[in-house]
Amino acid sequence: MKHLRMENGEYTKNFRDSIQVVLGHHFPRSEDGIVEKQIKINMNFPVITQEEVKTVMDDMDINKSSGLDGLTLGIIRELFFLDPAWFTELFNDCTRQGVFPDFWKIAKVLLIPKEGKDLTEVSAYRPICLLSTWGKVYDKIIAQRLLYELESKTLVQIAKTYKTVSSEALQVLTGLVPLDLVPDKEVTKFNLFNRGIPINIKDKEYSFQDFDLVNKLDLLPWEKGGISWSLDSDPNGRFKKIFTDGSKLNGRVGSGIVCLSEASDIIWKLEIRLNDEASVFIAEAEAIQMAVEKVGPTKGKIVIFSDSKSVLMALESNKNHSEVIMKLRKILLVNPQVKLNWVRAHIGIYGNELADLSAKNATTKEEVDIKVKIPKSWIKNQLKLTMLQE
């Protein structure tokens, strides 16, 4: 690290001074000092369970770096499985005494220089704080419980503290739900997805069964292979090919599929309207699935062209666990003769334009052809719109 320029214009003389300047810039302390407060909670705080600890660790990234103690998540997990009762009781003892061990609060700070910046400026360094993994597990347990309290109990009285003129102006400009309504939205989602309480949106009732809530553990280990795709095939080439597309117009969603001959004549096409709650992403994925099902088992190579890179990347990745992607991935794994190819949209490619037109035509149909599971993002947007209108 070079000598750093301080606020008075002078430069630091040694490494220790430079470190203090960087830490003071990124982690400023209150002039009044740090005031420690301990609030006694007058309630029966449920004990932390072994399953709760295991669930928290399962959701954490095992590849994250460790803190000063050098204990990675992998090591912490091994300690837990050696004696889960002792491990869990340690957290419960901290909770009973109202203590978060000081050592778990101490971070190892790494400074990453920003590319192209003057390294004599303190702002040219990006700090990364590595905290104790043990402390992060306990922190997430407490955070989970606090979130539950926020979701299950209204915080209107607390939220009113922030209802200032500037905040209201920001809400209007950004279209964000007012802070005092956020707890109501979260409680509604919690009741729907965790307690199974139906919800009414625009005079229509929705239950949790209507939503895409697939469990990623339902995907068998041998079915977790990604589906590759390419840019190699010529969309105007003289071979049999299929183009797929999805569209959303006037609140309606449709999928379009067109199969062309070697001479680019239309062999067949499908125009399928989906339920209005579906997204364009789902429409694109459903179009590919219907194309594969329409072709059926065949020995010949079939190339499907799609302009949805997001769907193709989701199929390639093992991290996307939406129902439509998992189902499509399974179908493609048993149909290796089907090859996926990305094509750029709206550049005049004949087959792609036909598929786009078919998808748009599908949205004009009066009846819904296929009802798919609704993405969770839809309910979030609908609740937001409803609250803003109210």
Side-chain angles (χ1 to χ4, degrees):
M1 180 184 293
K2 295 184 177 180
H3 298 294
L4 299 180
R5 187 169 62 86
M6 298 182 287
E7 291 183 356
N8 60 9
E10 298 180 359
Y11 289 84
T12 56
K13 297 180 179 180
N14 52 54
F15 179 76
R16 182 181 180 84
D17 290 343
S18 297
I19 289 295
Q20 292 301 320
V21 169
V22 171
L23 293 178
H25 172 79
H26 290 289
F27 308 101
R29 288 176 174 262
S30 170
E31 294 181 359
D32 298 329
I34 297 176
V35 179
E36 294 186 3
K37 291 185 178 180
Q38 185 170 351
I39 301 174
K40 185 176 182 180
I41 303 175
N42 296 318
M43 62 179 289
N44 295 321
F45 197 77
V47 296
I48 297 169
T49 65
Q50 296 178 24
E51 186 61 32
E52 188 177 5
V53 176
K54 182 179 181 299
T55 301
V56 165
M57 289 194 293
D58 286 344
D59 290 337
M60 294 174 65
D61 188 349
I62 200 168
N63 296 315
K64 292 288 186 178
S65 300
S66 62
L68 288 173
D69 56 15
L71 300 178
T72 63
L73 180 59
I75 297 174
I76 295 295
R77 285 175 59 87
E78 290 299 322
L79 291 173
F80 170 75
F81 288 118
L82 281 174
D83 194 341
W86 172 85
F87 193 99
T88 306
E89 181 57 25
L90 175 64
F91 289 150
N92 279 314
D93 193 40
C94 290
T95 304
R96 282 191 292 267
Q97 296 185 42
V99 172
F100 194 102
D102 290 338
F103 186 74
W104 292 352
K105 303 176 188 177
I106 301 174
K108 179 168 66 175
V109 181
L110 302 180
L111 299 176
I112 309 298
K114 298 178 183 178
E115 187 176 355
K117 297 291 184 178
D118 181 2
L119 298 185
T120 63
E121 296 291 334
V122 67
S123 59
Y125 297 88
R126 180 182 293 108
I128 297 178
C129 299
L130 303 179
L131 289 162
S132 166
T133 305
W134 214 318
K136 285 193 282 189
V137 174
Y138 185 47
D139 177 79
K140 287 183 180 294
I141 292 171
I142 299 302
Q144 250 184 196
R145 293 191 170 210
L146 290 175
L147 180 59
Y148 172 79
E149 292 298 320
L150 290 173
E151 290 175 330
S152 60
K153 296 180 180 180
T154 179
L155 295 178
V156 173
Q157 295 302 317
I158 297 177
K160 287 179 179 178
T161 307
Y162 300 96
K163 295 178 70 174
T164 62
V165 175
S166 59
S167 294
E168 290 172 353
L170 184 61
Q171 289 160 6
V172 172
L173 290 171
T174 61
L176 295 175
V177 176
L179 188 58
D180 60 326
L181 297 180
V182 172
D184 292 337
K185 184 181 74 170
E186 295 303 316
V187 169
T188 301
K189 290 192 301 180
F190 184 83
N191 288 337
L192 174 64
F193 297 126
N194 296 78
R195 296 179 176 175
I197 301 176
I199 183 175
N200 281 289
I201 300 289
K202 298 179 180 178
D203 299 324
K204 184 177 179 181
E205 185 176 272
Y206 296 89
S207 67
F208 74 93
Q209 290 97 337
D210 296 319
F211 292 86
D212 186 352
L213 303 175
V214 66
N215 188 343
K216 63 183 180 181
L217 296 179
D218 292 339
L219 185 62
L220 300 174
W222 52 89
E223 294 177 341
K224 290 186 177 180
I227 303 299
S228 61
W229 54 279
S230 70
L231 306 168
D232 301 335
S233 298
D234 180 6
N236 297 312
R238 295 188 62 82
F239 56 89
K240 185 177 179 180
K241 46 199 170 289
I242 298 175
F243 291 84
T244 63
D245 205 354
S247 181
K248 188 162 192 172
L249 288 174
N250 302 319
R252 294 182 175 185
V253 183
S255 296
I257 308 102
V258 176
C259 180
L260 300 181
S261 67
E262 291 84 350
S264 293
D265 297 321
I266 299 176
I267 300 175
W268 53 263
K269 68 177 180 178
L270 295 176
E271 297 175 351
I272 306 296
R273 182 185 167 190
L274 309 181
N275 46 310
D276 298 342
E277 300 88 353
S279 63
V280 175
F281 177 88
I282 290 177
E284 300 267 11
E286 284 289 336
I288 297 175
Q289 178 181 319
M290 287 185 283
V292 178
E293 292 174 344
K294 174 72 174 177
V295 171
T298 177
K299 294 182 179 179
K301 175 183 173 181
I302 298 294
V303 180
I304 296 179
F305 290 91
S306 172
D307 61 13
S308 177
K309 188 175 286 189
S310 58
V311 170
L312 297 176
M313 292 178 70
L315 288 169
E316 187 177 38
S317 170
N318 287 322
K319 294 184 179 180
N320 189 299
H321 302 293
S322 62
E323 182 179 86
V324 63
I325 292 298
M326 289 177 63
K327 184 177 179 181
L328 179 53
R329 192 182 287 129
K330 287 182 180 181
I331 293 174
L332 290 169
L333 283 173
V334 297
N335 288 278
Q337 77 281 4
V338 176
K339 305 300 179 183
L340 301 179
N341 205 97
W342 179 71
V343 61
R344 191 178 299 277
H346 309 304
I347 59 172
I349 295 176
Y350 178 63
N352 185 247
E353 296 300 327
L354 287 177
D356 179 61
L357 180 60
S358 294
K360 286 180 169 63
N361 289 339
T363 65
T364 65
K365 299 172 72 173
E366 291 300 321
E367 300 295 328
V368 172
D369 298 304
I370 296 178
K371 185 177 180 181
V372 297
K373 289 293 185 72
I374 306 170
K376 290 180 72 174
S377 58
W378 179 86
I379 193 66
K380 294 178 183 178
N381 292 333
Q382 290 300 313
L383 289 173
K384 177 180 176 180
L385 290 174
T386 300
M387 290 179 176
L388 286 174
Q389 290 170 357
E390 293 177 351

